[in-house]
Amino acid sequence: MRKVYPLPVLADLRKPYVTSQFHTRNPSRPGHMGCDLFYRWRASDGPVRIGDGGATRDPKAPTQPKWFIPSGTCAIAAAEGIVQLASDSPTGYRVWVKHADGNRTGYFHLRDVRVYVGAEISAGTPLGEVGDNPKDRDAEHLHFEVSPVAEYAPFDPEVWLRGATYYVG
Protein backbone atom coordinates (compact mmCIF):
# COMPACT_ATOMS: atom_id res chain seq x y z
CA MET A 1 0.00 0.00 0.00
CA ARG A 2 1.40 3.37 -1.05
CA LYS A 3 1.41 5.93 1.79
CA VAL A 4 1.82 9.69 1.46
CA TYR A 5 1.86 12.52 3.97
CA PRO A 6 -1.68 13.91 4.48
CA LEU A 7 -0.65 17.35 3.20
CA PRO A 8 0.87 17.85 -0.26
CA VAL A 9 4.20 19.46 -1.09
CA LEU A 10 3.63 23.17 -1.83
CA ALA A 11 4.37 24.71 -5.24
CA ASP A 12 7.60 26.18 -3.79
CA LEU A 13 8.58 22.61 -2.74
CA ARG A 14 8.03 23.08 1.01
CA LYS A 15 7.11 19.82 2.70
CA PRO A 16 4.68 19.38 5.59
CA TYR A 17 6.05 18.85 9.11
CA VAL A 18 4.65 17.02 12.10
CA THR A 19 4.65 19.58 14.90
CA SER A 20 2.53 18.48 17.85
CA GLN A 21 3.07 14.75 18.21
CA PHE A 22 1.01 11.85 19.55
CA HIS A 23 0.59 11.91 23.34
CA THR A 24 3.22 9.21 23.96
CA ARG A 25 5.83 11.42 22.25
CA ASN A 26 4.36 14.63 23.67
CA PRO A 27 3.58 14.03 27.38
CA SER A 28 2.48 17.66 27.81
CA ARG A 29 -0.64 16.77 25.77
CA PRO A 30 -1.96 13.53 27.30
CA GLY A 31 -5.21 13.65 25.33
CA HIS A 32 -3.63 14.31 21.93
CA MET A 33 -4.60 11.23 19.92
CA GLY A 34 -2.90 12.17 16.68
CA CYS A 35 -0.36 14.59 15.29
CA ASP A 36 -0.64 18.08 13.85
CA LEU A 37 0.81 19.04 10.49
CA PHE A 38 1.92 22.44 9.20
CA TYR A 39 4.37 24.03 6.77
CA ARG A 40 7.27 26.21 7.90
CA TRP A 41 6.25 29.89 7.67
CA ARG A 42 8.22 32.43 5.59
CA ALA A 43 7.86 36.23 5.75
CA SER A 44 6.58 36.21 2.15
CA ASP A 45 3.61 34.10 3.30
CA GLY A 46 1.95 37.06 5.03
CA PRO A 47 -0.33 36.86 8.05
CA VAL A 48 -1.16 33.52 9.62
CA ARG A 49 -4.84 32.71 10.10
CA ILE A 50 -5.59 31.83 13.70
CA GLY A 51 -8.49 29.73 14.94
CA ASP A 52 -11.84 30.93 16.29
CA GLY A 53 -13.12 32.60 13.14
CA GLY A 54 -9.94 33.32 11.20
CA ALA A 55 -8.35 36.19 13.14
CA THR A 56 -4.90 37.09 11.82
CA ARG A 57 -1.55 37.62 13.43
CA ASP A 58 0.52 40.54 12.22
CA PRO A 59 3.63 39.14 10.46
CA LYS A 60 5.51 42.33 11.47
CA ALA A 61 5.02 41.54 15.14
CA PRO A 62 8.21 40.85 17.15
CA THR A 63 7.41 37.13 17.37
CA GLN A 64 7.04 35.66 13.94
CA PRO A 65 4.86 32.60 13.45
CA LYS A 66 6.83 29.42 12.93
CA TRP A 67 4.16 27.34 11.16
CA PHE A 68 1.16 27.93 8.88
CA ILE A 69 -1.22 26.43 6.33
CA PRO A 70 -1.67 28.40 3.08
CA SER A 71 -5.22 29.36 2.21
CA GLY A 72 -6.78 26.75 -0.09
CA THR A 73 -4.56 23.84 1.00
CA CYS A 74 -6.42 20.53 1.02
CA ALA A 75 -5.82 17.57 3.28
CA ILE A 76 -5.17 14.53 1.09
CA ALA A 77 -5.77 10.83 1.58
CA ALA A 78 -2.63 9.25 3.04
CA ALA A 79 -3.38 5.96 1.25
CA GLU A 80 -6.05 4.43 -0.95
CA GLY A 81 -9.23 3.37 0.76
CA ILE A 82 -12.94 3.88 1.22
CA VAL A 83 -14.41 6.98 2.88
CA GLN A 84 -16.15 5.87 6.12
CA LEU A 85 -17.18 9.27 7.47
CA ALA A 86 -17.35 12.76 5.98
CA SER A 87 -19.19 15.17 8.26
CA ASP A 88 -19.23 18.30 10.35
CA SER A 89 -18.08 18.20 13.96
CA PRO A 90 -17.55 20.70 16.80
CA THR A 91 -13.92 21.14 15.66
CA GLY A 92 -14.62 21.61 11.94
CA TYR A 93 -15.30 19.06 9.24
CA ARG A 94 -13.68 15.61 9.49
CA VAL A 95 -13.06 12.62 7.24
CA TRP A 96 -12.20 9.01 8.11
CA VAL A 97 -10.80 6.69 5.42
CA LYS A 98 -10.68 2.89 5.82
CA HIS A 99 -7.57 1.20 4.38
CA ALA A 100 -6.77 -2.37 3.30
CA ASP A 101 -4.29 -2.82 6.18
CA GLY A 102 -7.14 -2.83 8.73
CA ASN A 103 -6.56 0.74 9.86
CA ARG A 104 -8.32 4.00 9.17
CA THR A 105 -6.94 7.51 8.96
CA GLY A 106 -8.71 10.59 10.30
CA TYR A 107 -8.38 14.17 9.05
CA PHE A 108 -9.71 16.97 11.29
CA HIS A 109 -10.21 20.78 11.31
CA LEU A 110 -11.35 20.93 7.69
CA ARG A 111 -13.23 23.92 6.26
CA ASP A 112 -15.23 21.67 3.91
CA VAL A 113 -15.51 18.08 2.68
CA ARG A 114 -14.84 17.10 -0.94
CA VAL A 115 -15.55 13.35 -0.73
CA TYR A 116 -18.60 11.29 0.23
CA VAL A 117 -19.17 8.20 2.36
CA GLY A 118 -18.53 5.05 0.34
CA ALA A 119 -16.23 6.73 -2.20
CA GLU A 120 -13.20 4.66 -3.25
CA ILE A 121 -10.22 7.02 -3.25
CA SER A 122 -6.52 6.92 -4.07
CA ALA A 123 -3.54 8.21 -2.11
CA GLY A 124 -3.41 11.95 -2.74
CA THR A 125 -7.16 12.45 -3.26
CA PRO A 126 -8.22 15.89 -1.89
CA LEU A 127 -10.50 15.39 1.13
CA GLY A 128 -11.26 18.98 2.12
CA GLU A 129 -9.62 22.33 2.67
CA VAL A 130 -7.69 22.63 5.92
CA GLY A 131 -9.43 25.25 8.00
CA ASP A 132 -10.52 26.49 11.32
CA ASN A 133 -11.10 24.76 14.63
CA PRO A 134 -13.98 26.90 15.92
CA LYS A 135 -13.43 25.67 19.50
CA ASP A 136 -9.83 26.87 19.77
CA ARG A 137 -7.58 29.81 18.97
CA ASP A 138 -4.67 27.78 17.64
CA ALA A 139 -3.29 28.38 14.17
CA GLU A 140 -5.04 26.56 11.35
CA HIS A 141 -3.54 23.10 10.96
CA LEU A 142 -4.37 19.54 10.01
CA HIS A 143 -4.90 17.08 12.85
CA PHE A 144 -4.20 13.52 11.63
CA GLU A 145 -5.07 10.26 13.44
CA VAL A 146 -4.70 6.53 12.78
CA SER A 147 -6.82 3.87 14.47
CA PRO A 148 -7.79 0.25 13.80
CA VAL A 149 -11.08 0.01 11.91
CA ALA A 150 -12.53 -2.45 14.46
CA GLU A 151 -12.46 0.02 17.36
CA TYR A 152 -11.35 3.56 18.10
CA ALA A 153 -7.91 2.92 19.60
CA PRO A 154 -5.58 5.56 18.10
CA PHE A 155 -1.89 4.86 17.84
CA ASP A 156 1.09 7.00 16.86
CA PRO A 157 0.45 8.22 13.29
CA GLU A 158 4.16 8.78 12.75
CA VAL A 159 4.68 5.02 13.09
CA TRP A 160 1.97 4.41 10.47
CA LEU A 161 3.53 7.04 8.16
CA ARG A 162 6.98 5.37 8.21
CA GLY A 163 8.03 4.93 4.61
CA ALA A 164 5.45 7.46 3.40
CA THR A 165 6.47 9.74 0.56
CA TYR A 166 5.66 13.38 0.04
CA TYR A 167 2.82 13.91 -2.42
CA VAL A 168 3.47 16.35 -5.25
CA GLY A 169 0.11 17.00 -6.89
Side-chain angles (χ1 to χ4, degrees), residues 5 12 37-38 44 53 73 76 78 80 85 88 103 106 118 120 123 125 134 139 157:
Y5 276 81
D12 64 7
L37 289 107
F38 287 94
S44 60
T73 301
I76 58 173
E80 68 180 22
L85 179 82
D88 199 0
N103 291 305
E120 293 184 25
T125 298

Side-chain angles (χ1 to χ4, degrees), residues 96-141:
W96 279 99
V97 177
K98 176 183 171 182
H99 306 288
D101 68 354
N103 291 305
R104 60 185 171 165
T105 50
Y107 310 79
F108 301 85
H109 310 322
L110 304 178
R111 180 168 276 115
D112 61 21
V113 172
R114 300 185 184 183
V115 294
Y116 58 90
V117 173
E120 293 184 25
I121 58 175
S122 302
T125 298
L127 303 174
E129 183 181 344
V130 177
D132 215 357
N133 175 355
K135 295 192 94 165
D136 208 342
R137 291 203 44 82
D138 52 356
E140 293 184 341
H141 65 280

Side-chain angles (χ1 to χ4, degrees), residues 39-161:
Y39 299 95
R40 190 169 294 282
W41 182 84
R42 294 179 183 162
S44 60
D45 294 324
V48 170
R49 293 180 301 174
I50 303 298
D52 194 22
T56 60
R57 180 175 176 177
D58 182 357
K60 296 176 185 168
T63 359
Q64 299 297 321
K66 187 173 183 180
W67 308 104
F68 89 120
I69 297 286
S71 181
T73 301
C74 279
I76 58 173
E80 68 180 22
I82 298 172
V83 177
Q84 277 194 310
L85 179 82
S87 68
D88 199 0
S89 79
T91 61
Y93 287 90
R94 63 188 169 179
V95 173
W96 279 99
V97 177
K98 176 183 171 182
H99 306 288
D101 68 354
N103 291 305
R104 60 185 171 165
T105 50
Y107 310 79
F108 301 85
H109 310 322
L110 304 178
R111 180 168 276 115
D112 61 21
V113 172
R114 300 185 184 183
V115 294
Y116 58 90
V117 173
E120 293 184 25
I121 58 175
S122 302
T125 298
L127 303 174
E129 183 181 344
V130 177
D132 215 357
N133 175 355
K135 295 192 94 165
D136 208 342
R137 291 203 44 82
D138 52 356
E140 293 184 341
H141 65 280
L142 177 66
H143 177 83
F144 178 69
E145 291 186 13
V146 181
S147 175
V149 172
E151 66 177 304
Y152 181 70
F155 60 91
D156 188 344
E158 289 182 78
V159 171
W160 189 85
L161 282 170

